[in-house]
Amino acid sequence: MTETAFQPLTLRNGVTWANRLTLAPLTNKQSHDNGVLSSDEIRWLEARGEGGFSMVMTAAAYVQREGLSFEGQFGISGDLHDEGLAALAARLKATGTQSALQLQHGGNRARPELSGLPTVSAVEGRGARGMTTAEVEALREAFISSAVRAQKAGFDGVEVHGAHGYLLTQFLSTENTRSDHWGGSYENRTRLVREIVSGIRKTCGASFTLGLRLSPERYGVVLEEAQRFATEMMTGGDLDYLDMSLWDYAKAPEETGTGRLIDAFMDLPRGDCALGVAGKIYSAADVRDCLSSGADFVLIGRGAILHADFPKAMAADSEFRVKDLPVTADYLRSQALGEKFVSYMATWPGFVEG
């Protein structure tokens, strides 16, 4: 199956990725306080394009300032962001990779001490105020207008971040007890994501690559609902790919404790939508396992931090495995991590020596 990893993947919109190895969206905290992309963040991503990833995805970009979720997060919410966005898109295009920008809002996981704005969520709680109907409608339009901004900047596509407990997950969650048509029932809780996805497709056109990231458990997400929603989104006709972020692709579902989480999604109807998986894919053997299990592509996270050229390294060595931890700060610098990213990785237990 190593050969499968290096076969092209043609999406439903006709866009072709050169191989099945893509860059996961990775928080790196390298950009400026006003949300403008830094040269370090641009270089980190460019190096992954040079390293052979067929699609390079950015870290989460906030679509509204109040959604800012971590230090050094870049934004796509205003004109001041346009120059940096265009520079990144051009640099990625020059490497030959396809580019995707991830659209996000933190909701009750946003950081008001960084944004200067209060936090909002689907419902009141955890330090956040429940959103009004007008605010939900404005949020929907912010996701759509940010996709348009990304398209104008030169990106090949966008991914809507509906995972990991951020604002769209807060709407999908069973804890969303709103009394309007964006809460309560399954149909209502999934409505906002469906409206955002369909709105982007209608506004940006059929050739613009559109993906969605979901996570299958935690944060009020129930596995059975996650399977149902994944199926509906894959077969709905708007998505080119679905990105399932599984924490650990080989772990058992937390609800059942048996089997593998990846297998809960491989047999779902997917129409002509590509299905990708992320979660502790550290070796050529892991890539082969995911693809042979039925995934169309994989998203590499930690492996891409440690190896800017993960795809090239795997192509050269069928037994390739990522470097053991800890690594030195100088090693991370050699992989095009800027100083803020190196410092961030040093907060991960056992990642950086010293």
Side-chain angles (χ1 to χ4, degrees):
M1 291 299 292
T2 299
E3 293 78 10
T4 301
F6 296 98
Q7 292 175 356
L9 175 63
T10 299
L11 304 178
R12 64 181 293 275
N13 64 350
V15 169
T16 297
W17 293 347
N19 59 55
R20 309 303 178 98
L21 301 166
T22 68
L23 180 68
L26 293 166
T27 299
N28 58 85
K29 301 189 176 184
Q30 295 188 102
S31 282
H32 300 296
D33 290 344
N34 61 359
V36 171
L37 275 160
S38 70
S39 58
D40 281 348
E41 185 148 8
I42 292 172
R43 177 57 194 148
W44 135 260
L45 292 164
E46 179 186 39
R48 274 67 201 166
E50 295 168 345
F53 287 97
S54 63
M55 186 273 282
V56 169
M57 195 182 314
T58 72
Y62 59 80
V63 300
Q64 292 177 317
R65 178 69 180 178
E66 58 265 36
L68 193 160
S69 305
F70 48 85
E71 298 91 343
Q73 182 178 14
F74 80 96
I76 189 166
S77 61
D79 293 346
L80 80 164
H81 301 137
D82 288 347
E83 184 177 354
L85 294 169
L88 173 56
R91 295 269 287 272
L92 291 176
K93 188 175 292 293
T95 70
T97 190
Q98 287 282 306
S99 60
L101 187 145
Q102 191 185 61
L103 305 173
Q104 179 259 10
H105 189 298
N108 62 27
R109 299 189 66 195
R111 298 279 297 278
E113 71 275 18
L114 299 177
S115 69
L117 299 167
T119 54
V120 295
S121 184
V123 295
E124 183 177 359
R126 301 179 187 176
R129 173 180 56 76
M131 299 173 73
T132 66
T133 296
E135 287 172 331
V136 178
E137 292 172 343
L139 174 70
R140 179 186 62 206
E141 296 311 307
F143 270 94
I144 296 169
S145 64
S146 293
V148 172
R149 189 179 295 275
Q151 186 177 39
K152 289 180 177 178
F155 285 90
D156 298 304
V158 294
E159 176 177 281
V160 176
H161 195 342
H164 299 172
Y166 292 116
L167 182 54
L168 295 186
T169 315
Q170 292 157 33
F171 275 88
L172 294 171
S173 170
T174 55
E175 297 171 5
N176 173 9
T177 57
R178 294 176 68 96
S179 58
D180 61 10
H181 63 292
W182 284 300
S185 69
Y186 166 85
E187 289 75 11
N188 286 351
R189 288 184 282 110
T190 59
R191 187 185 307 276
L192 179 59
V193 174
R194 289 187 276 111
E195 289 179 337
I196 289 169
V197 167
S198 64
I200 292 173
R201 176 56 73 210
K202 290 175 184 176
T203 306
C204 293
S207 62
F208 191 61
T209 300
L210 178 55
L212 171 66
R213 171 164 268 209
L214 297 176
S215 45
E217 51 192 11
R218 307 177 190 174
Y219 301 106
V221 175
V222 178
L223 179 59
E224 183 177 357
E225 282 195 355
Q227 292 171 307
R228 176 182 174 184
F229 191 48
T231 299
E232 291 173 356
M233 295 306 294
M234 286 192 290
T235 59
D238 285 326
L239 287 182
D240 296 302
Y241 71 85
L242 179 68
D243 163 12
M244 289 303 307
S245 185
L246 304 178
W247 321 106
D248 176 347
Y249 83 91
K251 82 178 192 69
E254 293 174 4
E255 289 182 26
T256 64
T258 60
R260 301 189 311 166
L261 191 53
I262 187 174
D263 295 327
F265 292 89
M266 293 301 100
D267 291 334
L268 299 178
R270 62 184 80 166
D272 53 5
C273 179
L275 176 59
V277 294
K280 296 190 176 179
I281 301 171
Y282 296 153
S283 67
D286 291 338
V287 171
R288 288 191 291 269
D289 191 9
C290 291
L291 296 177
S292 64
S293 296
D296 293 305
F297 66 98
V298 296
L299 298 105
I300 306 297
R302 189 176 92 178
I305 295 173
L306 293 169
H307 300 273
D309 63 347
F310 186 109
K312 291 183 177 180
M314 180 176 163
D317 178 6
S318 64
E319 300 306 314
F320 173 74
R321 183 172 182 83
V322 300
K323 194 173 179 67
D324 290 336
L325 298 177
V327 295
T328 66
D330 280 342
Y331 175 78
L332 292 178
R333 294 183 187 106
S334 77
Q335 300 303 305
L337 277 70
E339 291 304 313
K340 289 182 178 179
F341 200 176
V342 172
S343 296
Y344 173 49
M345 297 315 301
T347 67
W348 290 31
F351 205 97
V352 182
E353 289 182 8

